[in-house]
Amino acid sequence: MTSLEELAATLRVALGPDRVLSDRQELRTYECDGLAHYKVTPGLVVLPRDATECAVTVRACAAAGVPFVARGSGTGLSGGALPHADGVLVVTSKMREIVEIAPEDERAVVAPGVINLDVSKAAAAHGYYYAPDPSSQQICSIGGNVAENSGGAHCLKYGFTTHHVLGAQIVTPDGTLVELGGRAPDTPGYDLLGAFVGSEGTLGVATRVTVRLTRLPESVRTLLAAFATTDEAGAATSAIIAAGVVPAAIEMMDALAIEAAEAAVACGYPPGAGAVLIVELDGPAAEVEAQFAQVTALCEAAGATELRIAADTDERTLIWKGRKSAFAAVGRISPDYIVQDGVIPRTALPEVLRRITDVAHARGVRVANVFHAGDGNLHPLVLFDDAVEGEAERAEEVSGAIIDLCIEYGGSITGEHGVGADKAKYMPRMFTADDLETMHLLRCAFDPAGLSNPGKVFPTPRLCGEVPRRHRATDPGAAAEIF
């Protein structure tokens, strides 16, 4: 009997047979997350119902020396939840209890498998909502959001997921349940909660999360502005921020992204636009009205060819429908695509977008741009047809060149999708060997055996038992292998 078979037998006794999947066809259901061109069939899938079962699972993995990977809804776009072929995939989708909504404390306590949007729905009756809203908020889970620090359109005004997580119960890689942070605004000592948020499952598994709730705004105004070029849309974005206005969101889509959204959901964006901005303001009614007039004037001054102002909730929903569906919609105009994710200074948007277009043209592929313009968080979609010889390779080259551009302009290789398996090979382009070794020391403090989500974030498959500085990152290309 192999170690995985022994582990499966142990967990079936501890959790029940319906919590452990080992049938090949069932396992293949979980072979990838949202980054579908990386696929690994897990050795075993376990479906815990609560924190205790999750801890039992991780403890059994630690005892057997078997690696494990946590997964929520599987919507991640960097391969952060890519399974390990000889390991256990711990799926938290059955852990969907909203434990507490506490408006008096502006807090909610939820299990990791709770869907992002469901937190806001539960809090709405009390006059509150949960501000971080990734485009996949209707299906993504809070645990996954915490792992990747994924935020969404409204991060511009309200901050990223890490700013809305007050505490977390986690299972450490040895199977111990511990509490990080809590209900208080701050806790003494090192910020271990801050280290955990965005650690991409390399420090353990979240089993309960305390999140900050935000009071629903008195007023929300949304407009869609069409421009002939992305340069003009970028100029309008910079002008709005320079005027001292901080919208709840500023989103941009270029012509190709608009084409895809129209084909998928018929959102009715202005035909022929080279770019559109979605600008949303919220807050006290008087302030919103004053700033909305200011934003409208700034868009017109930047060359807006058409302005559409949402008159009611239905029109606001339709404006957002095109943006929220854009990633999936690209499938309507291209059989294959790579979703890239990087950040640049907002003022560099026009120049970087032009250079992305130049890089794509030079390699004969198309790039659709849909992104959070307000904070410079790019999400280029590199389109290709895998059936055309060499096109996938050229798309990968363009994707890598976009990352290089982000670094060149002082940005980052990821904004909210994480590094995962996809971009571990790019880490040495942004960080020195000393930087990476320092990060690795932190990982080792949580996970000395290297069992928690191995092969992600770091460019080499180093074991935590190895002493940093003796094993430096080697050839980044070789490090692209999926472990």
Side-chain angles (χ1 to χ4, degrees):
M1 183 178 287
T2 67
S3 58
L4 267 181
E5 289 171 338
E6 291 175 355
L7 183 59
T10 299
L11 291 172
R12 286 192 173 102
V13 171
L15 309 180
D18 61 329
R19 295 281 166 262
V20 182
L21 307 180
S22 58
D23 175 78
R24 180 76 179 172
Q25 291 306 313
E26 289 183 309
L27 295 178
R28 290 193 63 187
T29 304
Y30 299 93
E31 65 185 3
C32 69
D33 57 13
L35 188 69
H37 63 278
Y38 286 175
K39 294 181 179 178
V40 176
T41 303
L44 204 65
V45 169
V46 179
L47 301 156
R49 290 172 297 193
D50 54 33
T52 300
E53 290 191 354
C54 192
V56 166
T57 303
V58 172
R59 200 174 303 131
C61 289
V66 171
F68 61 90
V69 177
R71 168 186 163 124
S73 298
T75 57
L77 292 167
S78 64
L82 188 72
H84 193 292
D86 298 316
V88 173
L89 191 67
V90 184
V91 180
T92 61
S93 58
K94 292 188 179 299
M95 300 171 67
R96 288 193 175 175
E97 180 187 7
I98 294 179
V99 180
E100 180 184 13
I101 298 289
E104 67 280 7
D105 285 335
E106 298 186 321
R107 310 278 188 270
V109 181
V110 303
V114 170
I115 301 302
N116 176 296
L117 187 59
D118 288 348
V119 182
S120 289
K121 288 179 178 176
H126 305 278
Y128 285 86
Y129 73 110
Y130 178 59
D133 60 341
S135 295
S136 56
Q137 71 173 143
Q138 296 186 49
I139 50 173
C140 67
S141 67
I142 292 295
N145 295 167
V146 170
E148 304 298 336
N149 193 25
S150 50
H154 292 93
C155 287
L156 172 62
K157 181 175 182 178
Y158 293 102
F160 295 89
T161 295
T162 191
H163 303 122
H164 297 266
V165 176
L166 299 169
Q169 179 193 63
I170 73 166
V171 179
T172 59
D174 66 354
T176 304
L177 274 171
V178 302
E179 298 282 347
L180 303 178
R183 299 175 72 90
D186 194 15
T187 54
Y190 295 116
D191 185 11
L192 298 181
L193 178 65
F196 184 82
V197 178
S199 62
E200 306 191 29
T202 61
L203 305 184
V205 184
T207 51
R208 185 170 291 182
V209 185
T210 301
V211 300
R212 186 193 308 277
L213 296 179
T214 302
R215 186 175 286 278
L216 287 165
E218 180 184 358
S219 176
V220 178
R221 297 294 306 273
T222 306
L223 71 81
L224 183 144
F227 297 87
T229 67
T230 55
D231 276 13
E232 292 175 347
T237 301
S238 293
I240 291 168
I241 300 297
V245 178
V246 182
I250 307 180
E251 300 288 294
M252 189 190 300
M253 297 170 66
D254 71 6
L256 204 50
I258 296 168
E259 177 188 338
E262 286 293 342
V265 299
C267 46
Y269 288 175
V276 296
L277 282 185
I278 298 171
V279 184
E280 187 160 279
L281 298 171
D282 67 7
E287 177 183 297
V288 168
E289 289 306 312
Q291 292 189 339
F292 200 74
Q294 196 175 0
V295 167
T296 301
L298 290 168
C299 286
E300 290 174 336
T305 56
E306 184 173 342
L307 293 176
R308 292 184 183 178
I309 298 170
D312 52 34
T313 301
D314 289 343
E315 290 188 8
R316 179 186 175 223
T317 300
L318 188 59
I319 286 176
W320 276 109
K321 188 176 182 181
R323 168 61 185 91
K324 293 277 185 178
S325 65
F327 283 9
V330 167
R332 296 296 188 102
I333 62 171
S334 177
D336 303 285
Y337 61 92
I338 298 170
V339 181
Q340 192 49 277
D341 165 48
V343 178
I344 58 170
R346 180 176 50 247
T347 51
L349 277 173
E351 187 172 346
V352 171
L353 291 175
R354 283 196 297 274
R355 290 189 63 181
I356 289 175
T357 299
D358 292 343
V359 167
H361 284 169
R363 288 171 174 78
V365 299
R366 298 181 297 168
V367 174
N369 289 290
V370 48
F371 57 95
H372 311 307
D375 47 19
N377 188 357
L378 302 175
H379 293 315
L381 298 144
V382 185
L383 315 185
F384 66 98
D385 185 349
D386 200 31
V388 177
E389 186 175 354
E391 200 161 286
E393 289 74 14
R394 296 200 302 277
E396 286 280 0
E397 291 172 8
V398 170
S399 182
I402 291 171
I403 288 299
D404 286 337
L405 281 173
C406 291
I407 296 172
E408 178 184 336
Y409 281 82
S412 164
I413 66 172
T414 179
E416 58 176 331
H417 294 180
V419 176
D422 186 37
K423 288 193 273 192
K425 61 189 174 187
Y426 298 127
M427 289 287 274
R429 299 190 189 183
M430 184 166 180
F431 298 105
T432 67
D434 286 344
D435 293 334
L436 293 173
E437 286 166 5
T438 302
M439 295 180 201
H440 208 250
L441 282 169
L442 175 65
R443 192 260 172 86
C444 290
F446 280 77
D447 185 23
L451 296 178
S452 189
N453 208 10
K456 312 295 168 53
V457 182
F458 296 100
T460 64
R462 294 185 301 186
L463 300 176
C464 282
E466 297 175 345
V467 178
R469 291 190 178 280
R470 289 182 182 174
H471 304 275
R472 293 180 178 275
T474 54
D475 175 24
E481 181 181 352
I482 306 303
F483 300 100

